[in-house]
Amino acid sequence: ALDSLAGILWRSSAKGREFILEHNGVETVTNAMWSDMESADVQGAAMHLILAMAASTDGIAENDMLANQESICDSLLFTMQNHAHEPEIQLRGCLVFACLAGASSDNSRVADGSLSGAMLMVLNAMGNHRDSLPIQKAGMQALYHQCALSVHAEANKRTLMETKLDNGLSGIDIILRGIEKLQEDYIGSEWACKICWYLTSSEDLVKASANTPLHDAVIPICNRHMINPAATGLVEAAIGTIGNLSYLEKKHLDLTDSGAIGMLLDGLHYFGDDYEVSFEAIAAIANLSVSPYARDSMVKSGAVPMIIAALRSFVDFPEYVAEGLRALVCMAIDSEEAKEMTATNEMIGVIAEASSKHDILTVQEMCAALISTLSFSQSHCKLLLDCGAVDIILCAMDSFSEINVQDAGCSAFRNLSCHLQEPDKLLKQGISERCIVNAMQAHQNSVSIQANACCALWHLSFKSQRRDPIVSPDGVACIVKAMQSHMESSDLLDWACGVLWELVGDSIEIKKDVVANGAIDAVTCAMVMNPNSPSMLEKACGILSCVTSEGPLAEAVANAQGVSIVTEAMRNNATSLPLLGMGCLTLRNIAFLLPDVTQEASPVISTVINAMQDYTDAIGFQAEACNLLWILASEDENCQSKILALDGLSVLMKCLEHNSNNSEVQKAALGAFSQLASPSNQDDDMFSG
């Protein structure tokens, strides 16, 4: 009777449904199941009829025969438990639960058994009948619907991850065994791969799956069905699973060694026109390319041109563009081969198109980041400039103030300004400087932004052919603030001092502006904090040498202990000629205007005389050294005595002989020599000419 009713319902679903509902058919079936629970034949037939009731051919919620029939799940569960080794009952039970889970997503009145242990019963069925292909397939369908479609899907996913059967197998173990059994069945395999995809779809779930071999199961099954046009869903789910697992950096080695990269690239190749598959592949590649081991393998496998081709195809899709550019950024970071393949007119055109089309944070960030990465290579900078890279950077920095965008933009300006000998095209009528300064103001705690910004401004100031200053007063204030806030970064201090040195040489107004912003204290403090950084110390002394040419400013430097700080810097870096030359000039300027500081500067005399003996061909240094000895000898008897005690006269004589053709050195050396030989003879023309 039950089988006959099931047959009628399968053949005439609408009329049969109405008839059964009219005559309380669901309750009748339930009563029959409980009355003959020990009869496998009755239970199997009842299961058959329930399956016919549960399987809706039209998918309309109003036609769900099992709505508001919660008792049916209890009957199903009890039957499956009592007849665990009856294949037909287990098969039909899995199919019914698959239907109920699917129906519950659209109809809250349908109870799918999730809260009563339906998933555990399905897993038991698959575990007890591991050699039954139909049960494995039906069970996989049920699990897929429970994890993807059920109204309790989120809870079901966690239940599946945590479940342990009585035989010790976990839910994941059952799925892996099912995949092995279903490997020739692409529909069953698709459900299995989708389960794996959903089980890794959130941060907590993917972490819970970190120690499972899900990747070892989905990669072979995906490769097996890769060229099957009907297996698009399987490939998408398998690639999505790898993409989710690739968020775990500790899985990168396992994924790479298991052949994930080849699978992902094949996905791009065979399904390049399918947005969903291609997107999952490109996202997974972007995640994996964070790992040096993985990205090296990708570059060697030809990933770069494939990604570029994919970006051309999907440039209108911002999420796709962001992932594709992220992958290229990671690959090009430390691969010259990847940079060469990416730095083309075509690819930069794609970046420009994406930048103009998508005013979205992720896209703009990656556009700026890729320009920054490519600009590390000097050979690419002219191409980048000619193809509109500056406009791309400015677009990103103007649109979004987020730290990653600003950091990428400042880094790009730094690289371009370093490599281009004539960087005036970078300036864009002051827009570039404004963006850089805005970044410094917005992210004062970012050492990277502050350092890159200072470096960019230094090179722009140093190389520019413009007569007016490149850096605005706001820029000066930001540079000084950066120095004050990040004394631990010697590179930042080096570049910041470089900018300020370029600026203070232009006019007295700029010098006063720089000093008013606290530059003297910042510079002298930087010198104290970094006593063994000759490059930074040279630039710092360069700033002080320019500032101290003005009386009030020289006094400010002296009051900031500038004399002793410069003296110590010279003594600690006695082999750095540029530093010694700038130090001599700074001390001479201060001593000329403030004679009382000569005794404070006297410890440097031995360093200067020794350097004069060691570097006789360094004309610029010899001139500055002689001028310093001249002023020290003229203003302080102790300094004069110290110079004489160190055989200063013979050193000066040797300097005169060795540089007989250089009038500047001759004048300075003769002045110092005369001062030492005739102490009463003060030369008022020391600074003439």
Side-chain angles (χ1 to χ4, degrees):
L2 292 168
D3 276 332
S4 296
L5 285 173
I8 293 171
L9 192 55
W10 286 118
R11 291 191 297 271
S12 55
S13 57
K15 292 182 179 180
R17 182 186 302 113
E18 294 173 3
F19 179 84
I20 290 175
L21 290 175
E22 182 181 348
H23 293 83
N24 298 320
V26 176
E27 183 180 351
T28 302
V29 175
T30 304
N31 289 336
M33 294 177 72
W34 287 109
S35 298
D36 295 291
M37 185 57 70
E38 300 304 319
S39 172
D41 291 338
V42 172
Q43 298 304 314
M47 286 283 202
H48 187 199
L49 179 54
I50 293 172
L51 177 59
M53 294 177 184
S56 173
T57 57
D58 53 24
I60 300 173
E62 289 75 11
N63 293 334
D64 288 328
M65 294 185 66
L66 299 182
N68 297 322
Q69 300 290 339
E70 295 184 16
S71 62
I72 201 74
C73 289
D74 294 334
S75 302
L76 289 169
L77 293 169
F78 204 75
T79 296
M80 292 182 73
Q81 183 176 1
N82 277 6
H83 300 278
H85 297 287
E86 292 291 338
E88 200 67 29
I89 290 176
Q90 299 300 311
L91 173 61
R92 289 171 177 170
C94 289
L95 291 173
V96 171
F97 281 125
C99 294
L100 292 176
S104 71
S105 63
D106 296 322
N107 189 347
S108 60
R109 295 179 297 119
V110 174
D112 66 357
S114 292
L115 303 180
S116 304
M119 177 170 283
L120 178 61
M121 200 58 64
V122 171
L123 290 171
N124 277 324
M126 296 175 70
N128 291 330
H129 301 274
R130 61 177 301 179
D131 294 326
S132 171
L133 182 61
I135 292 178
Q136 294 299 315
K137 185 173 181 179
M140 207 68 78
Q141 182 182 13
L143 293 175
Y144 164 58
H145 285 187
Q146 288 167 337
C147 291
L149 305 178
S150 170
V151 70
H152 304 289
E154 286 302 315
N156 287 339
K157 286 187 284 188
R158 286 158 179 78
T159 298
L160 183 53
M161 289 295 297
E162 298 166 1
T163 294
K164 284 280 188 182
L165 304 185
D166 292 339
N167 59 8
L169 293 176
S170 67
I172 296 297
D173 294 330
I174 297 297
I175 292 170
L176 296 177
R177 287 183 4 177
I179 291 175
E180 184 179 355
K181 184 69 177 177
L182 295 167
Q183 56 184 306
E184 297 297 337
D185 186 321
Y186 77 86
I187 295 177
S189 295
E190 178 179 331
W191 289 330
C193 289
K194 285 185 175 179
I195 293 169
C196 295
W197 192 10
Y198 291 124
L199 288 180
T200 56
S201 60
S202 65
E203 184 177 356
D204 63 319
L205 287 172
V206 77
K207 286 181 178 178
S209 64
N211 296 321
T212 66
L214 286 178
H215 59 285
D216 287 328
V218 299
I219 291 174
I221 205 71
C222 182
N223 288 335
R224 180 182 291 273
H225 296 282
M226 182 70 74
I227 61 175
N228 182 356
T232 304
L234 183 157
V235 174
E236 179 187 4
I239 290 176
T241 301
I242 298 303
N244 290 343
L245 290 171
S246 65
Y247 279 104
L248 299 172
E249 195 166 345
K250 66 179 183 179
K251 294 288 286 187
H252 287 184
L253 184 60
D254 287 343
L255 292 172
T256 304
D257 289 342
S258 297
I261 292 173
M263 184 194 81
L264 296 173
L265 297 181
D266 283 346
L268 279 181
H269 175 71
Y270 289 109
F271 295 89
D273 296 331
D274 186 293
Y275 175 82
E276 284 76 15
V277 175
S278 187
F279 176 77
E280 292 298 333
I282 212 79
I285 289 171
N287 289 340
L288 279 175
S289 59
V290 173
S291 166
Y293 180 69
R295 64 173 170 253
D296 288 345
S297 179
M298 287 181 190
V299 173
K300 293 175 183 177
S301 300
V304 173
M306 294 183 72
I307 295 171
I308 293 173
L311 281 169
R312 287 200 307 269
S313 299
F314 296 108
V315 71
D316 292 329
F317 298 87
E319 295 85 359
Y320 195 102
V321 170
E323 292 299 327
L325 293 179
R326 182 163 71 96
L328 291 177
V329 168
C330 291
M331 290 184 203
I333 282 177
D334 54 10
S335 170
E336 289 302 318
E337 183 181 356
K339 286 188 180 75
E340 290 296 328
M341 288 187 284
T342 307
T344 63
N345 284 309
E346 180 185 27
M347 184 57 214
I348 298 171
V350 171
I351 300 172
E353 184 178 356
S355 173
S356 63
K357 282 185 174 181
H358 306 301
D359 189 23
I360 296 173
L361 173 60
T362 52
V363 173
Q364 295 295 329
E365 177 187 342
M366 287 302 113
C367 286
L370 187 53
I371 295 296
S372 172
T373 301
L374 296 178
S375 62
F376 271 103
S377 297
Q378 185 173 2
S379 58
H380 302 148
C381 287
K382 187 177 184 303
L383 172 65
L384 291 171
L385 196 62
D386 293 342
C387 292
V390 177
D391 292 329
I392 295 172
I393 301 167
L394 293 176
C395 177
M397 296 182 75
D398 263 340
S399 299
F400 297 96
S401 61
E402 280 75 6
I403 188 169
N404 289 343
V405 176
Q406 300 300 315
D407 196 13
C410 289
S411 175
F413 274 119
R414 166 193 166 175
N415 296 336
L416 291 169
S417 64
C418 285
H419 293 316
L420 295 171
Q421 294 306 309
E422 297 179 359
D424 283 344
K425 290 183 179 180
L426 295 175
L427 296 174
K428 293 286 182 178
Q429 291 77 47
I431 298 175
S432 299
E433 188 267 352
R434 174 179 59 78
C435 282
I436 293 171
V437 171
N438 287 344
M440 296 181 74
Q441 291 172 330
H443 302 285
Q444 296 182 9
N445 293 327
S446 170
V447 178
S448 177
I449 287 178
Q450 301 297 320
N452 287 331
C454 287
C455 186
L457 293 174
W458 174 40
H459 282 282
L460 290 171
S461 300
F462 178 70
K463 297 177 181 178
S464 174
Q465 301 301 312
R466 288 173 47 178
R467 293 186 177 181
D468 54 319
I470 299 299
V471 182
S472 64
D474 285 344
V476 171
C478 284
I479 292 167
V480 174
K481 181 68 174 178
M483 294 178 67
Q484 293 169 337
S485 302
H486 302 287
M487 282 291 170
E488 76 286 354
S489 174
S490 58
D491 286 339
L492 184 154
L493 297 174
D494 188 4
W495 297 323
C497 287
V499 186
L500 296 179
W501 189 10
E502 287 298 321
L503 293 174
V504 294
D506 289 337
S507 69
I508 180 60
E509 288 77 15
I510 295 178
K511 291 177 185 177
K512 290 180 178 179
D513 184 42
V514 169
V515 172
N517 278 288
I520 291 177
D521 285 338
V523 169
T524 53
C525 185
M527 295 177 72
V528 172
M529 296 292 291
N530 296 270
N532 299 310
S533 300
S535 176
M536 185 276 293
L537 293 170
E538 175 200 347
K539 296 179 181 69
C541 286
I543 297 169
L544 298 179
S545 69
C546 291
V547 168
T548 52
S549 63
E550 305 295 332
L553 302 185
E555 186 174 357
V557 173
N559 290 338
Q561 299 183 333
V563 173
S564 60
I565 290 172
V566 171
T567 298
E568 284 304 305
M570 294 172 68
R571 294 178 67 192
N572 291 333
N573 298 272
T575 59
S576 175
L577 279 180
L579 167 58
L580 294 178
M582 287 296 105
C584 287
L585 177 56
T586 301
L587 294 176
R588 182 189 71 169
N589 287 346
I590 299 174
F592 179 74
L593 295 169
L594 303 167
D596 291 343
V597 305
T598 51
Q599 188 60 39
E600 189 178 354
S602 62
V604 83
I605 292 173
S606 59
T607 301
V608 172
I609 290 177
N610 289 336
M612 290 180 69
Q613 292 174 313
D614 294 338
Y615 304 104
T616 54
D617 293 327
I619 295 174
F621 164 70
Q622 292 288 334
E624 294 300 342
C626 291
N627 278 327
L628 177 60
L629 295 179
W630 186 359
I631 188 66
L632 292 178
S634 68
E635 298 293 348
D636 188 88
E637 290 184 3
N638 290 331
C639 290
Q640 186 181 94
S641 300
K642 189 170 185 177
I643 295 170
L644 292 171
L646 293 169
D647 203 17
L649 282 176
S650 62
V651 172
L652 290 168
M653 284 294 296
K654 185 177 180 180
C655 177
L656 285 166
E657 294 171 2
H658 197 77
N659 298 282
S660 58
N661 296 324
N662 188 286
S663 59
E664 182 182 3
V665 176
Q666 286 285 307
K667 179 181 178 181
L670 282 171
F673 186 87
S674 299
Q675 185 64 49
L676 291 167
S678 305
S680 61
N681 183 18
Q682 300 291 329
D683 192 338
D684 293 332
D685 296 328
M686 182 180 300
F687 289 92
S688 64

